[in-house]
Amino acid sequence: MSSITMPTESEVIPASVPTATAILGTYKRAPMEFVRGEGVELIDAKGKRYLDFSSGIAVNALGYGDEGILKAMNEAMSTGLIHTSNLYRTAAGELLAARLVELSFAAKVFFCNSGAEANEGAFKFARRWARKTGSDSKVEIIALRGGFHGRLFASLAATDRPSYRAPFRPLAGGVSICERDLVELDTALDEETVAAVIVEPVQGEGGVRVLEASFLDGLRRLTAKRGIALIFDEIQCGLGRTGHLFAYQGAGVIPDMLTVAKPLAGGLPMGAVLVSGEISDTIQAGDHGTTFGGGPFVSAVAAHVLERLSDESLLERVRQNGAWLGEQLQTIARRSGRVRAIRGVGYMWGLDVVEPAGDVVQRGWEEGLLTLTAGEHTLRILPPLIADRDDLVRGLSIIERIIAR
Ligand SMILES: Cc1ncc(COP(=O)(O)O)c(C=O)c1O
């Protein structure tokens, strides 16, 4: 089997994207066409370099062209197994699940292909468990104000974004949204009817909001007392982004289920539901399924990524650099007078800007920086976890310029 080689810069393919697109218009795409990636940078068809503070929306934690990922892919390919189906066991899937269990509270893992699919799976497992241990009326799922959990019918019903929801009603039933407030939750969490609560420990799409450990702890106490499953959606904030492998470890609050996806397989599509022993004991063959979930190729690559992202020296760097990044952003905000608030942790920050955040993102393209929005007025930055101080300094100086302009 020949090894995978990356093209050199001079071999970068010229622009090949047709002006008219045949891709369904569900996304408003930026005008750049990327043809190559190197470390923390993307390179477009004209050869212009962009520092990527979006990481493919929190996916490319190890940046682009990572040698370790390429090697893991190459080795996995050499077995000839890309897919075998979930009817058979493969070492790669078993080892990845065992490692996730070792590194977390979970007893078992369900593999799937995306974040939304992971959350939909967690909802099903919660209902299965609640019906078996409670009653047939214990089916409600509660999500929180400002949360984002995906675009499928149940995950969309748990997503607090009216413009995403309205055109597609009716959404899945039995899912409702509650304020991020323990008093309101105390009333909403009826032990006879509620199966689960889902929460992002750090809300991403909803504006980068770090939920207080005391709030998560209060929610844990309420749910535990009433036999309600607590699901942490760590699809965006998990796997190292907060400076802890899992955000729950930083908060010191243990959920019953946890969903991950985005960076798990280094850019290949993969999601997972980490499930506690109590819930996994109630799940049986036939309860759920997905054709591609946890195939040998994607699992082998994810196993490599997981080792890298659970490395304590990487996590320590994210914690330290992240705290420093927050301080620098505060300074920039003060100097510019054009930022209303800053929120974040680790390599996940949001700046509430006075103008539409999309305008700031577009100015970043001109200056060779990729950032994101999180709602109308929040500029969101999610640098790759391999970004070092020099990369952060470079990004910060561009951010200062594009905010001030
Ligand atoms: C917190 C959170 N949950 C769920 C999802 C949905 O993931 P996917 O787009 O892979 O379905 C996202 C995606 O941005 C997310 O940030």
Side-chain angles (χ1 to χ4, degrees):
M1 174 90 23
S2 63
S3 67
I4 296 169
T5 51
M6 300 284 293
T8 62
E9 199 164 337
S10 60
E11 290 167 344
V12 164
I13 329 136
S16 54
V17 172
T19 13
T21 181
I23 298 177
L24 191 65
T26 59
Y27 279 89
K28 189 170 164 218
R29 288 174 208 268
M32 305 81 84
E33 178 202 350
F34 293 119
V35 293
R36 186 180 158 81
E38 263 178 27
V40 295
E41 290 185 335
L42 278 170
I43 299 150
D44 75 9
K46 295 177 185 144
K48 179 172 171 179
R49 287 178 171 265
Y50 295 77
L51 178 60
D52 186 5
F53 272 23
S54 66
S55 299
I57 323 186
V59 170
N60 301 316
L62 299 176
Y64 299 94
D66 180 83
E67 288 285 326
I69 292 181
L70 294 175
K71 187 162 171 282
M73 285 182 171
N74 215 13
E75 281 169 13
M77 279 302 295
S78 70
T79 65
L81 299 183
I82 294 175
H83 172 81
T84 55
S85 93
N86 278 310
L87 300 176
Y88 314 107
R89 296 180 71 186
T90 61
E94 296 284 349
L95 290 171
L96 175 63
R99 193 70 181 119
L100 282 165
V101 163
E102 213 167 71
L103 291 165
S104 74
F105 68 93
K108 301 278 183 190
V109 180
F110 174 81
F111 290 122
C112 53
N113 309 285
S114 71
E117 196 190 348
N119 286 337
E120 302 264 339
F123 295 165
K124 283 183 71 180
F125 302 145
R127 281 194 178 160
R128 188 69 167 138
W129 163 77
R131 276 223 170 82
K132 274 196 178 162
T133 56
S135 72
D136 270 352
S137 59
K138 204 168 159 69
V139 296
E140 297 288 323
I141 312 284
I142 307 273
L144 297 189
R145 181 72 64 217
F148 180 94
H149 301 290
R151 309 284 203 122
L152 305 181
F153 274 117
S155 49
L156 185 57
T159 289
D160 182 28
R161 190 73 82 88
S163 64
Y164 290 178
R165 299 161 57 101
F168 306 104
R169 291 185 187 284
L171 306 179
V175 184
S176 51
I177 292 173
C178 183
E179 298 304 321
R180 290 187 308 264
D181 177 273
L182 288 174
V183 177
E184 300 235 3
L185 281 158
D186 190 20
T187 311
L189 296 185
D190 178 348
E191 64 188 310
E192 299 298 324
T193 57
V194 178
V197 178
I198 184 163
V199 49
E200 292 168 86
V202 184
Q203 294 186 328
E205 305 291 320
V208 189
R209 238 166 268 281
V210 186
L211 303 194
E212 296 279 339
S214 58
F215 171 80
L216 295 173
D217 185 56
L219 188 55
R220 174 68 288 185
R221 284 168 200 276
L222 274 180
T223 48
K225 214 161 52 194
R226 297 174 192 182
I228 293 170
L230 180 59
I231 306 168
F232 279 180
D233 175 341
E234 296 207 10
I235 287 158
Q236 187 161 149
C237 68
L239 295 171
R241 188 146 293 277
T242 63
H244 301 274
L245 180 61
F246 298 109
Y248 85 83
Q249 293 164 332
V253 177
I254 299 175
D256 300 298
M257 284 190 275
L258 182 146
T259 52
V260 283
K262 290 184 179 285
L264 179 56
L268 296 176
M270 183 177 227
V273 190
L274 279 57
V275 185
S276 72
E278 189 187 325
I279 295 180
S280 62
D281 283 349
T282 64
I283 306 299
Q284 63 195 49
D287 277 347
H288 195 40
T290 182
T291 296
F292 290 113
F297 179 73
V298 71
S299 295
V301 177
H304 172 79
V305 173
L306 184 61
E307 284 322 304
R308 299 273 298 284
L309 296 183
S310 57
D311 179 74
E312 190 42 45
S313 60
L314 176 132
L315 295 170
E316 173 65 24
R317 246 191 342 269
V318 171
R319 288 196 293 272
Q320 288 199 358
N321 284 345
W324 177 84
L325 180 58
E327 287 162 19
Q328 301 305 306
L329 288 169
Q330 293 285 0
T331 307
I332 288 174
R334 263 196 311 275
R335 276 204 296 252
S336 75
R338 296 172 64 76
V339 178
R340 293 201 183 99
I342 293 191
R343 295 175 298 274
V345 62
Y347 275 23
M348 182 171 184
W349 289 88
L351 290 78
D352 288 348
V353 290
V354 291
E355 63 192 308
D359 293 353
V360 182
V361 170
Q362 283 202 24
R363 288 205 291 272
W365 301 341
E366 291 161 27
E367 304 254 359
L369 179 74
L370 304 178
T371 56
L372 298 159
T373 61
E376 185 74 4
H377 284 281
T378 305
L379 181 74
R380 178 173 38 147
I381 60 168
L382 303 167
L385 304 189
I386 55 160
D388 62 19
R389 278 284 169 106
D390 288 347
D391 300 323
L392 297 179
V393 166
R394 203 148 56 92
L396 283 164
S397 78
I398 300 177
I399 288 170
E400 176 146 33
R401 282 203 297 278
I402 59 180
I403 283 173
R405 253 213 279 162

